[in-house]
């Protein structure tokens, strides 16, 4: 009798919804292409920034988004051998004097008038050369592990401590695909 009352009282107090367990980042497209230039990757993610993350951005905290790719060669006698690992980082920041958003990638930067425009530029990449021709052998299958995430390690240290365990800062998606051998 006490257990049903306890469950009923917990439901009445409004326990938080567990839908946060699913990642808010959707990987809409992930494609690999072999061509004479090498191994090319195309991806497209979709997400909206949670209110807390957007608020930090509006207050001047730069957000770093990272796409990482690992290519592993399958081996039957030992663990898979890592052929390569590449990483691409975007920096999204808000410029309060001009009311613009800036996206930096490498040594290049672009300004955008609205947050959705700026987010679209960090959510996708086309023809990203992850390997030169000949680095990934054509005669054996490979496993490609793709990760896209908001990199909390590059946030200011006080903010890293205060966001520990908060689900709204866990923007990430990971996908594993097989690159078949080309005969």
């Amino acid at each position: 009798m006490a257990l049903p009352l306890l469950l009923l009282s917990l439901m009445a107090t409004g326990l938080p919804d567990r839908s946060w367990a699913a990642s808010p980042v959707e990987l809409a497209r992930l494609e690999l292409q072999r061509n004479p230039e090498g191994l090319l990757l195309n991806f497209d993610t979709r997400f909206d920034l949670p209110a807390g993350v957007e608020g930090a951005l509006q207050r001047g905290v730069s957000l770093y988004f990272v796409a990482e790719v690992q290519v592993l060669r399958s081996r039957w006698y030992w663990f898979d051998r890592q052929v390569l690992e590449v990483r691409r980082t975007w920096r999204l920041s808000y410029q309060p004097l001009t009311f613009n958003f800036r996206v930096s990638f490498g040594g290049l930067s672009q300004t955008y008038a609205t947050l959705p425009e700026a987010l679209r530029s960090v959510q996708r990449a086309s023809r990203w050369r992850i390997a030169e021709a000949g680095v990934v052998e054509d005669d054996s299958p490979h496993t490609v592990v793709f990760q896209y995430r908001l990199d909390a390690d590059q946030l200011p240290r006080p903010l890293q401590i205060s966001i520990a365990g908060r689900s709204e800062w866990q923007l990430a998606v990971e996908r594993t695909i097989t690159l078949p051998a080309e005969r």
Side-chain angles (χ1 to χ4, degrees):
M1 182 69 179
L3 184 62
L5 285 176
L6 177 64
L7 289 175
L8 185 60
S9 66
L10 286 176
M11 288 176 12
T13 59
L15 282 177
D17 183 18
R18 294 286 180 189
S19 62
W20 57 266
S23 175
V25 179
E26 172 194 351
L27 187 58
R29 180 176 61 120
L30 180 62
E31 300 170 352
L32 282 169
Q33 299 173 338
R34 285 187 202 243
N35 68 16
E37 297 175 23
L39 188 59
L40 304 178
L41 178 82
N42 301 315
F43 73 89
D44 190 1
T45 59
R46 305 253 165 88
F47 61 89
D48 293 322
L49 289 181
V53 177
E54 187 175 340
L57 178 64
Q58 296 283 351
R59 289 183 187 87
V61 175
S62 294
L63 303 177
Y64 294 87
F65 293 92
V66 176
E68 293 177 322
V69 178
Q70 285 184 330
V71 178
L72 307 168
R73 183 174 183 192
S74 301
R75 296 192 288 195
W76 64 270
Y77 58 90
W78 198 251
F79 296 113
D80 293 346
R81 181 175 67 95
Q82 183 172 329
V83 176
L84 66 95
E85 182 174 359
V86 291
R87 176 184 184 135
R88 190 176 261 195
T89 303
W90 294 267
R91 178 178 179 245
L92 174 62
S93 58
Y94 179 65
Q95 308 294 316
L97 293 177
T98 59
F99 301 107
N100 286 325
F101 294 88
R102 173 170 283 186
V103 174
S104 301
F105 170 71
L108 305 172
S109 63
Q110 175 75 38
T111 58
Y112 297 92
T114 65
L115 180 59
E117 289 174 351
L119 276 178
R120 277 311 295 152
S121 71
V122 301
Q123 292 174 343
R124 62 181 173 206
S126 295
R127 300 186 52 82
W128 175 18
R129 187 177 353 170
I130 60 173
E132 299 290 330
V135 172
V136 178
E137 299 92 12
D138 294 342
D139 62 342
S140 65
H142 290 76
T143 303
V144 178
V145 180
F146 173 80
Q147 254 188 359
Y148 182 86
R149 62 187 165 83
L150 172 63
D151 192 2
D153 295 337
Q154 295 190 43
L155 295 173
R157 184 68 70 199
L159 186 59
Q160 288 180 23
I161 294 168
S162 68
I163 66 167
R166 288 196 180 168
S167 62
E168 67 182 355
W169 288 86
Q170 305 299 321
L171 297 173
V173 65
E174 182 174 334
R175 188 76 38 91
T176 302
I177 58 176
T178 301
L179 181 64
E182 205 169 82
R183 304 244 180 228

